[in-house]
Amino acid sequence: MSDDFDLNAYLRRIGYHPTPAVDVQTLRGLAVAHVAALPFENLNPWLGMPVLLSVDALERKLVQGGRGGYCFEQNGLFTAALRAIGFEVQTLIARVLWNRPEDAITAQTHMLLQITLDGESWLADVGFGALALAGALRLQPDIEQPTALEPFRLLQHGDEWVMQGCVRGAWLPLYRFDLRPHPPIDYEVANHYVSTHPQSHFVNLLIVNRTASDRRLSLCDREFTVRRLGAEPEQRTLRSVAELRHVLESEFLLRLPDGDALDRRLVALPEGD
């Protein structure tokens, strides 16, 4: 962990203005601000660029560079910020179940955080793009827990836990995990797999998400969707490079990388139906 993490720059980047303290109010407030300001995005692996997980690299990209990232980057940066404030943080690794059966055996390719406050355990996760946790959850099973948007809950099966989110009245599994600590090399290996494997959806699809205070925004290739609680999703197809760039910059708040590589990939996106 870097001793010179620039906490003030991080707080400015996410637009968090209260003086941070080691308490639940700060933990929840930081998570809400983080997911609103720092989009989940996979431009680096999609463009064939490396995804670096050192704290210095995360600060350069997400804080100074105006970019976002995926779970290892988002939760890695959040870990550094929380520890700089004084939180006790343990990183965990999970098997993603989103759009899969709850008993599916998947690789450990997701990172989340366990925070200990006054002897009580909490979970935070600013890096699950489709349903980022805008808040924090008590590590307690079988109770519905409100967040800034959808409610979440945890199920426990022996040593394993399942995170679920309530989407339009249905409880859907996000991922399965246990509470064993993992060394940094486990995240490095998982990060290398999802950022370079030819079958990884982070290599093959353009995926961008942002969680605002009242809506969730998502882009998958050319399909842009806005979801608000209690309303039907609003969807449209982005046909041109200009449209795609505009949405990436204005809706997802991204500072796009320089060079022609991005435009070449945007032009080549499948047109869809």
Side-chain angles (χ1 to χ4, degrees), residues 50-233:
V51 177
L52 305 177
L53 300 185
S54 71
V55 174
D56 288 344
L58 297 177
E59 287 185 280
R60 284 195 302 272
K61 182 186 177 192
L62 280 74
V63 177
Q64 301 157 13
R67 290 282 304 283
Y70 58 20
C71 71
F72 299 115
E73 299 169 282
Q74 298 278 3
N75 282 318
L77 182 69
F78 200 50
T79 296
L82 292 177
R83 287 176 175 166
I85 293 167
F87 285 92
E88 180 183 342
V89 184
Q90 177 63 57
T91 59
L92 306 176
I93 200 163
R95 302 181 188 276
V96 175
L97 301 174
W98 187 246
N99 293 326
R100 296 179 176 92
E102 193 163 314
D103 59 355
I105 304 300
T106 61
Q108 292 181 308
T109 57
H110 183 66
M111 180 183 186
L112 68 152
L113 309 179
Q114 181 181 4
I115 298 95
T116 303
L117 276 171
D118 298 325
E120 186 175 19
S121 288
W122 295 77
L123 295 179
D125 183 359
V126 295
F128 197 84
L131 211 67
L133 180 57
L137 303 182
R138 286 184 172 86
L139 186 63
Q140 295 179 8
D142 305 320
I143 58 171
E144 181 176 318
Q145 302 190 49
T147 72
L149 290 171
E150 299 88 352
F152 286 71
R153 72 181 181 187
L154 295 161
L155 305 180
Q156 187 176 14
H157 307 292
D159 293 334
E160 286 197 325
W161 297 75
V162 174
M163 174 79 80
Q164 292 186 327
C166 188
V167 180
R168 304 177 73 183
W171 286 102
L172 303 179
L174 278 62
Y175 46 78
R176 182 171 62 246
F177 63 98
D178 60 39
L179 303 180
R180 290 178 297 172
H182 287 262
I185 188 61
D186 288 352
Y187 305 104
E188 292 283 352
V189 170
N191 175 62
H192 177 71
Y193 174 84
V194 298
S195 65
T196 64
H197 194 281
Q199 294 182 358
S200 169
H201 59 274
F202 290 123
V203 172
N204 293 292
L205 300 173
L206 174 60
I207 302 170
V208 192
N209 298 275
R210 188 169 74 85
T211 299
S213 60
D214 61 344
R215 65 197 184 280
R216 294 186 184 274
L217 312 173
S218 64
L219 179 68
C220 184
D221 283 348
R222 295 183 183 272
E223 300 305 311
F224 176 51
T225 305
V226 180
R227 293 179 173 85
R228 293 180 171 86
L229 293 181
E232 290 296 315

